[in-house]
């Protein structure tokens, strides 16, 4: 299988970047996209050229490290999937595959396809945790949690922080990420004591990081590898209002 | 100013305008009655509106809502543009979201142009007394019906009016459901109902406002 990669190359955030085309042969359709990029990088090393920088860790769709814009979609052409789970069988022989880094003012490019997502870490630092000392693992049923509540919390907790929501959003809004982190903890009894401070502080940080507004286009829900619902954003809005009125 | 305040202002003013449109469309339905009945009813209704002190307050709230909706939408757009300074070379957002949701600002510009022309033709002439004078009908009411009827017999105006009700429909479809979510309505099955209600509301408004001038034209 042969494809033409059209890849964004940029040395760092201070210099301008641009696309470069690479013809890559000797691929097969069972390779993941990241393996195809590995294959390209091996050829670049042999040619004494700079390799394409891209991020990954588990390559199992769990960690949220990989994430690039492939042919006009976050994580590629399929809904609810990470980049590492995208295989060349999703493309035809001879296709051009355009790969760009996540685009957002809050996610500056570090190099080529790698962006700095530490804005997410700073949002988490404002309340994406429970401050009580937990000691050793407590008895699981010490605090009863209903099945529906546990399920809703788990649905939100599934967020892997990949940044696809910000990447695909026309406004680079981080509302889905922030909402998932807030709702995960605020839904559970353990998160209740700090619920108002959590939503206020995390939303405040989201704003300071320069993310845009949520327009409820729903694109983030489609591109989110975990399929986290945009209803979470509406829930965050309600929680924020409640925190401001009663917090 | 917080992200939330800006969006809440757009949502609250938008919802108020949504309610106003229902009242406006109900009044427009009078135009579908036979002319002899419609003229009297329409003129009596518009006189009632102009003379009611309550409606005067509502009218100022309406002007303010239109202005604030545009101003805050502009502030939202400026922030959003800054948040995404570099566009993607290839972007297939049509595969993950609706066109209207992605282009509310553009659609809003069409609606704003419509509102300006609409106000110049009706409001400026009847309320401010600008342009050609408006006569009285047999009951002594200001003959607003004559102004409406003559405009709805102008094919260019009818085409302009009816065509611009299409972007209005798209704007209302996304705007109604989105504004309620912005204000914190998150009930899961309620959101599915809301999506259907928004579609129904947008269709009624768009088709209702769009078809009435065409019917009056051919009457």
């Amino acid at each position: 299988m042969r494809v033409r990669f059209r890849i964004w190359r940029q040395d760092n955030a201070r210099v301008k970047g641009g696309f470069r085309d690479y013809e890559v042969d000797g691929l097969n359709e069972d390779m993941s996209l990241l393996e195809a990029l590995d294959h390209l990088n091996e050829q670049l090393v042999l040619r004494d050229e700079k390799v394409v920088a891209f991020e990954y860790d588990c390559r199992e769709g769990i960690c949220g490290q990989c994430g690039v814009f492939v042919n006009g979609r976050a994580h590629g052409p399929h809904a609810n999937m990470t980049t590492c789970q995208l295989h060349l069988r999703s493309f035809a022989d001879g296709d051009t595959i355009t790969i760009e880094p996540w685009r957002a003012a809050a996610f500056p490019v570090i190099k080529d396809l790698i962006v700095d997502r530490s804005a997410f870490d700073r949002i988490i630092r404002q309340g994406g945790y429970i401050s009580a000392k937990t000691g050793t693992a407590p008895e699981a049923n010490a605090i009863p949690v209903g099945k529906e509540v546990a399920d809703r919390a788990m649905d939100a907790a599934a967020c892997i922080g990949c940044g696809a929501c910000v990447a695909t959003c026309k406004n680079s809004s981080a509302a889905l990420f922030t909402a998932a982190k807030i709702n995960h903890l605020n839904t559970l009894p353990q998160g209740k004591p700090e619920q108002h401070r959590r939503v206020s502080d995390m939303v405040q940080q989201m704003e300071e990081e320069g993310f845009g507004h949520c327009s409820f286009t729903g694109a983030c829900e489609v591109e989110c590898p975990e399929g986290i619902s945009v209803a979470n954003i509406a829930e965050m809005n309600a929680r924020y209002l409640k925190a401001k009125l009663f917090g | 100013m917080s992200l939330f305040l800006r969006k809440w202002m757009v949502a609250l003013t938008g919802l108020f305008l949504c309610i106003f449109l229902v009242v406006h469309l109900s009044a427009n339905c009078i135009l579908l009655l036979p002319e002899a009945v419609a003229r009297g009813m329409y003129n009596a209704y518009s006189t009632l509106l102009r003379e009611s002190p309550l409606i005067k307050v509502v009218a100022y709230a309406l002007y303010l809502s239109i202005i604030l909706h545009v101003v805050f939408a502009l502030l939202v757009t400026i922030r959003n543009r800054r948040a995404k300074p570099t566009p993607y070379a290839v972007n297939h957002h049509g595969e993950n979201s609706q066109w209207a949701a992605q282009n509310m600002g553009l659609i809003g510009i069409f609606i704003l142009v419509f509102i300006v022309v609409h106000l110049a033709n009706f409001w400026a002439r009847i309320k401010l007394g600008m342009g050609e004078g408006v006569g009285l009908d047999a009951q002594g009411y200001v003959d607003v019906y004559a102004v409406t009827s003559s405009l709805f017999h102008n094919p260019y105006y009818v085409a302009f009016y009816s065509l611009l009700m299409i972007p209005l429909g798209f704007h209302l479809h996304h705007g109604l459901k989105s504004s309620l979510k912005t204000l914190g309505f998150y009930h899961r099955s309620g959101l599915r109902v809301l999506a259907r209600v928004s579609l129904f509301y947008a269709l009624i408004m768009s088709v209702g406002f769009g078809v009435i001038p065409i019917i009056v034209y051919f009457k």
Side-chain angles (χ1 to χ4, degrees):
Chain A
M1 191 176 175
R2 179 188 179 91
V3 297
R4 169 185 290 181
F5 279 121
R6 201 158 178 257
I7 299 174
W8 183 264
R9 304 300 310 263
Q10 185 173 347
D11 279 341
N12 56 61
R14 291 179 300 281
V15 298
K16 270 184 78 171
F19 283 103
R20 276 200 60 183
D21 288 2
Y22 301 95
E23 296 283 348
V24 186
D25 211 346
L27 302 167
N28 74 68
E29 60 179 17
D30 293 328
M31 279 179 162
S32 74
L33 183 80
L34 298 188
E35 284 166 341
L37 287 175
D38 290 337
H39 188 76
L40 164 66
N41 277 344
E42 282 164 13
Q43 293 177 4
L44 292 177
V45 168
L46 291 176
R47 297 207 300 257
D48 210 17
E49 290 181 37
K50 278 190 206 167
V51 295
V52 176
F54 62 96
E55 228 176 336
Y56 62 88
D57 190 1
C58 73
R59 297 201 180 197
E60 290 178 330
I62 301 167
C63 74
Q65 282 301 299
C66 62
V68 285
F69 221 70
V70 184
N71 280 358
R73 295 277 301 273
H75 290 308
H78 304 294
N80 308 128
M81 187 193 260
T82 54
T83 302
C84 62
Q85 299 302 296
L86 178 63
H87 289 75
L88 292 189
R89 53 181 169 268
S90 296
F91 305 93
D93 190 30
D95 269 4
T96 297
I97 303 174
T98 305
I99 309 179
E100 301 172 70
W102 290 162
R103 300 286 189 198
F107 286 173
V109 171
I110 294 174
K111 189 174 170 59
D112 296 337
L113 302 174
I114 300 177
V115 296
D116 180 358
R117 288 173 290 182
S118 49
F120 273 6
D121 299 336
R122 290 189 290 274
I123 293 174
I124 291 294
R125 215 180 290 158
Q126 292 302 317
Y129 52 83
I130 286 161
S131 61
K133 288 182 181 166
T134 53
T136 52
E139 151 62 33
N141 295 318
I143 304 171
V145 180
K147 171 89 168 84
E148 280 182 16
V149 173
D151 284 351
R152 271 202 296 136
M154 192 57 219
D155 285 348
C159 170
I160 54 175
C162 65
C165 47
V166 173
T168 193
C169 176
K170 72 187 179 77
N171 311 330
S172 294
S173 166
L176 191 67
F177 166 80
T178 312
K181 298 303 177 191
I182 290 170
N183 294 342
H184 158 215
L185 296 174
N186 281 15
T187 302
L188 293 169
Q190 292 91 334
K192 293 284 183 209
E194 294 164 304
Q195 57 175 330
H196 296 319
R197 187 187 59 73
R198 176 175 298 113
V199 64
S200 292
D201 292 354
M202 288 177 78
V203 164
Q204 174 72 27
Q205 190 64 36
M206 174 179 81
E207 191 168 338
E208 284 172 18
E209 295 294 343
F211 293 106
H213 293 270
C214 169
S215 293
F216 284 107
T217 65
C220 53
E221 181 181 307
V222 175
E223 305 300 16
C224 172
E226 302 300 327
I228 292 172
S229 165
V230 288
N232 276 289
I233 301 174
E235 188 171 346
M236 172 179 71
N237 293 347
R239 289 185 188 282
Y240 184 76
L241 187 62
K242 199 172 147 195
K244 288 290 156 193
L245 293 176
F246 311 111
Chain B
M1 193 192 302
S2 86
L3 284 175
F4 281 81
L5 184 65
R6 275 187 290 249
K7 283 294 283 186
W8 278 338
M9 286 304 289
V10 177
L12 284 170
T13 52
L15 285 175
F16 180 66
L17 295 171
C18 281
I19 297 166
F20 161 74
L21 286 181
V22 175
V23 181
H24 191 326
L25 183 62
S26 325
N28 282 20
C29 289
I30 299 173
L31 296 168
L32 298 173
L33 298 169
E35 193 183 332
V37 190
R39 186 184 293 271
M41 273 178 77
Y42 199 71
N43 291 344
Y45 174 73
S46 62
T47 306
L48 181 80
L49 290 188
R50 274 197 310 282
E51 290 174 359
S52 159
L54 174 71
I55 297 297
K56 208 160 256 178
V57 176
V58 175
Y60 282 113
L62 186 66
Y63 308 144
L64 195 65
S65 289
I66 295 172
I67 294 166
L68 290 178
H69 192 74
V70 173
V71 168
F72 279 94
L74 211 60
L75 291 174
V76 164
T77 307
I78 291 168
R79 163 109 192 179
N80 292 345
R81 290 277 160 89
R82 282 195 189 135
K84 200 161 212 83
T86 315
Y88 291 104
V90 184
N91 193 349
H92 293 161
H93 55 63
E95 293 172 13
N96 58 30
S97 51
Q98 289 173 342
W99 180 85
Q102 294 276 353
N103 294 284
M104 286 293 272
L106 177 71
I107 299 169
I109 291 170
F110 281 103
I111 298 168
L112 188 62
V113 168
F114 173 81
I115 292 172
V116 170
V117 174
H118 188 60
L119 286 179
N121 282 317
F122 288 92
W123 182 75
R125 202 171 150 197
I126 296 159
K127 199 129 185 193
L128 304 181
M130 290 163 81
E132 205 182 321
V134 185
L136 302 179
D137 68 2
Q139 274 81 41
Y141 293 133
V142 176
D143 201 355
V144 179
Y145 181 85
V147 178
T148 313
S149 178
S150 71
L151 278 168
F152 285 178
H153 280 93
N154 176 344
Y156 297 109
Y157 188 77
V158 171
F160 169 79
Y161 192 113
S162 297
L163 280 175
L164 282 178
M165 291 304 106
I166 298 169
L168 177 75
F170 280 110
H171 201 79
L172 294 176
H173 178 219
H174 180 71
L176 180 60
K177 59 185 178 186
S178 174
S179 53
L180 283 169
K181 283 187 263 190
T182 297
L183 294 171
F185 179 73
Y186 68 90
H187 188 274
R188 296 295 201 275
S189 52
L191 285 174
R192 282 191 287 276
V193 176
L194 177 64
R196 282 196 288 270
V197 168
S198 299
L199 179 63
F200 180 73
Y201 171 80
L203 275 174
I204 295 287
M205 291 299 131
S206 178
V207 173
F209 278 113
V211 161
I212 289 172
I214 298 169
I215 295 173
V216 173
Y217 180 76
F218 287 107
K219 218 161 68 165

